[in-house]
């Protein structure tokens, strides 16, 4: 298709009119697909918010220890602040890799990259998330932050699984892999936000 677009450039070529006539259809399709993806992502976010709002207070407390919204938390101790500062180096890279994962998926769906490029990006992401988990193993959280540590470690594991599923897709073209990867990525993103709410309110870098 890109070769066909390229052939529309220049003048006097036979069949130029038919190529030019199809170009707006291609552009409109891409715009429509991008709009549909954006709407889907917004719908997922809204669904997550509604689901959390419908949960009983006791369920939210059990599911999200130390991360209840609207509750004033005690200041972190010196040991907890030191842990938060150490985890920040992992967190900053994990956030970037998470964005790269989403960008890779969108770029492929929009046909801006091919399967070979998607495979290369997914392979890099697998390595990045795996290394992040290894770096987490070098951290020793204070007892009160052990649940936070485990939540973050689990989130990184799901991110790695999502990247692995993208790799599997490049081999068998099974769209179910991409759907599952999106689900795992969404869950990990939610957990990272909840950890951030405890350790780095407002996502400010620790001093």
């Amino acid at each position: 298709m890109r070769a066909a677009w390229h052939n529309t450039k220049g003048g006097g070529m036979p069949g130029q009119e038919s190529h030019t006539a199809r170009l707006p259809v291609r552009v409109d399709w891409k715009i429509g697909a991008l709009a549909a993806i954006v709407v889907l992502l917004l719908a997922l976010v809204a669904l997550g918010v509604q689901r959390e709002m419908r949960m009983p207070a006791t369920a939210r407390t059990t599911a999200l220890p130390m991360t209840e919204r609207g509750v004033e938390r005690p200041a972190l101790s010196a040991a907890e602040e030191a842990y938060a500062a150490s985890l920040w180096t992992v967190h900053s890279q994990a956030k970037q890799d998470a964005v790269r994962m989403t960008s890779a998926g969108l770029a492929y769906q929009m046909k801006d990259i091919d399967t070979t490029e998607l495979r290369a990006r997914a392979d890099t992401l697998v390595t990045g998330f795996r290394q992040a988990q290894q770096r987490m193993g070098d951290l020793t959280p204070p007892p009160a932050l052990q649940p936070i540590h485990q939540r973050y470690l689990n989130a990184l594991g799901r991110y790695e699984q999502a990247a692995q599923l993208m790799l599997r897709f490049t081999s068998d073209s099974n769209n179910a892999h991409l759907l599952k990867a999106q689900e795992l990525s969404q869950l990990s993103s939610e957990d990272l936000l909840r950890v951030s709410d405890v350790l780095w309110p407002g996502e400010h870098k620790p001093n």
Side-chain angles (χ1 to χ4, degrees), residues 73-202:
R73 303 177 185 86
L76 297 178
S77 67
E80 291 168 347
E81 288 182 353
Y83 169 80
S86 297
L87 182 58
W88 177 264
T89 59
V90 178
H91 179 63
S92 58
Q93 183 62 50
K95 287 195 304 178
Q96 293 179 29
D97 286 341
V99 171
R100 291 188 182 103
M101 178 181 293
T102 300
S103 298
L106 289 175
Y108 180 80
Q109 294 294 339
M110 297 296 294
K111 302 186 184 304
D112 291 330
I113 62 174
D114 59 14
T115 303
T116 300
E117 177 63 20
L118 180 64
R119 182 185 300 113
R121 296 190 186 188
D123 189 58
T124 299
L125 290 167
V126 168
T127 301
F129 288 124
R130 187 172 295 162
Q131 290 176 344
Q133 292 173 80
Q134 293 171 349
R135 293 171 66 187
M136 287 281 293
D138 296 331
L139 303 180
T140 303
L145 295 184
Q146 182 61 46
I148 293 292
H149 180 88
Q150 191 60 49
R151 180 188 291 274
Y152 202 99
L153 191 58
N154 292 343
L156 292 176
R158 284 194 298 269
Y159 271 136
E160 182 187 349
Q161 292 176 42
Q164 291 279 12
L165 286 168
M166 292 176 71
L167 279 177
R168 291 176 61 183
F169 170 81
T170 63
S171 298
D172 60 19
S173 300
N174 186 345
N175 284 325
H177 297 325
L178 292 183
L179 292 175
K180 185 62 177 179
Q182 181 181 6
E183 176 187 341
L184 292 172
S185 180
Q186 177 69 19
L187 290 172
S188 292
S189 177
E190 291 173 358
D191 273 347
L192 261 60
L193 286 173
R194 286 161 181 159
V195 170
S196 298
D197 190 49
V198 175
L199 300 181
W200 316 290

Side-chain angles (χ1 to χ4, degrees), residues 11 19 26 37 44 46 57 59 67 69 95 131 135 139 151:
H19 285 305
R26 173 71 176 183
I37 292 171
L44 288 173
T67 62
R69 300 279 177 173
K95 287 195 304 178
Q131 290 176 344
R135 293 171 66 187
L139 303 180
R151 180 188 291 274

Side-chain angles (χ1 to χ4, degrees), residues 30-91:
K30 292 186 72 174
I31 294 175
L34 179 59
I37 292 171
V38 171
V39 169
L40 176 60
L41 292 175
L42 291 176
L44 288 173
V45 172
L47 180 61
V49 172
Q50 291 176 356
R51 181 181 59 187
E52 184 170 346
M53 292 298 295
R54 287 197 300 264
M55 291 174 60
T58 54
R60 288 198 298 269
T61 301
T62 301
L64 307 175
M66 298 181 61
T67 62
E68 301 86 345
R69 300 279 177 173
V71 177
E72 184 176 356
R73 303 177 185 86
L76 297 178
S77 67
E80 291 168 347
E81 288 182 353
Y83 169 80
S86 297
L87 182 58
W88 177 264
T89 59
V90 178
H91 179 63

Side-chain angles (χ1 to χ4, degrees), residues 4-28:
W5 295 350
H6 181 72
N7 288 339
T8 63
K9 297 180 179 180
M13 295 295 292
Q16 180 180 15
E17 293 80 3
S18 61
H19 285 305
T20 303
R22 286 197 298 267
L23 181 57
V25 177
R26 173 71 176 183
V27 173
D28 290 345

